[in-house]
Amino acid sequence: MNGLAILIPIALSFGLLGLAAFFWALRSGQFDDMDGAALRIFVEEGDLENGRPEGSAHAPADHLR
């Protein structure tokens, strides 16, 4: 019984800490560009600096910038 008196406040504090971290990430813009990071793995790093994919005459999509 004494174990529960210690573990329940610890569990609640971890839950509140996780909730605070979620709201911090939400306010700092961590979830603003969910698709851009997934698509950036298909483009070479140097191509992003030049502004367009190598060998392509087309302008890059706006979501990759």
Side-chain angles (χ1 to χ4, degrees), residues 21-44:
F22 171 73
F23 281 116
W24 171 79
L26 192 64
R27 286 186 182 195
S28 65
Q30 296 292 318
F31 303 110
D32 286 349
D33 186 18
M34 298 295 288
D35 295 331
L39 295 175
R40 265 185 236 119
I41 63 171
F42 296 118
V43 179
E44 296 289 329

